Amino acid sequence: MFDFTQLNVRLDGHVATLTLNAPPVNALTRTLNDELTMALDTISETDDIRAVVLTGAGKVFCAGADLKGRAENIRQPGDFMAHSRRTRECFHAVRECAKPVVAAINGAALGSGLALVASSDILVASEQASLGLPEVDVGLLGGCRHAMRLFPHSRLRRMALTGYRVGGQELYQLGIVEACVAPEALLETALEIAHVIASKSPVSTRMGKHTMNVIEDLSLRDGYRYEQDMTAAIGKTEDAREAQLAFKEKRAPVFTGR
């Protein structure tokens, strides 16, 4: 299904593991950006895949934008806008992926790497993980709006204005990640969550994620009204009827995704 050069893809049952693999620090190159977007878009339309784990190869999750390749991609008028569009659409590809994405943060996730993490659905961290916004040290900005989904006001501004990095244990203490585990246990922890998701009705998880994305920026009244409407729509699916019948018959449900 995939023939990539900077992204490794592994399938295990109904779970796809995407591993950023652009040595030495998995910077978000144009190639990695495009490959990750393509993989997530393909997964969205692949019924047999029901959940995704996103992680990085080596000791770094993603060190941020590829500053070395920036000069090659931005040479003439229009290039900067095209580059910016590709970058933000990669983050949207994570957030809008029809299948829930579990981020397994194996090391530093900085700038664009933080944005990838913040665009994911469920986060788990290694003890060696950290999130940061180091752009202040190179005269840039990046990832602050995405980081607002994770961090409170003061902590975010401290990160953006000083370059402070939040480590794995602190991320767990702040309630930003579900777990902070030893490096060797990270992928197993993320896969365990992903396989639980994959065991649920794929139509329910898909519509559930879509609903949560939509209502995130709505008022309480409008958001809950939308959620009620989506609940009614999910309730009419074959999977919902199967779930209710299985509950009544005290057996495991068999979902078809319809």
Side-chain angles (χ1 to χ4, degrees), residues 135-147:
E135 286 83 0
V136 68
D137 294 323
V138 290
L140 298 171
L141 285 172
C144 290
R145 180 60 187 90
H146 293 82

Side-chain angles (χ1 to χ4, degrees), residues 5-17:
T5 60
Q6 296 186 4
L7 181 70
N8 298 338
V9 182
R10 183 172 65 87
L11 302 178
D12 178 14
H14 294 298
V15 175
T17 299

Side-chain angles (χ1 to χ4, degrees), residues 7-34:
L7 181 70
N8 298 338
V9 182
R10 183 172 65 87
L11 302 178
D12 178 14
H14 294 298
V15 175
T17 299
L18 307 183
T19 304
L20 311 178
N21 190 11
V25 292
N26 299 326
L28 193 61
T29 65
R30 178 171 180 174
T31 296
L32 179 56
N33 185 103
D34 292 347

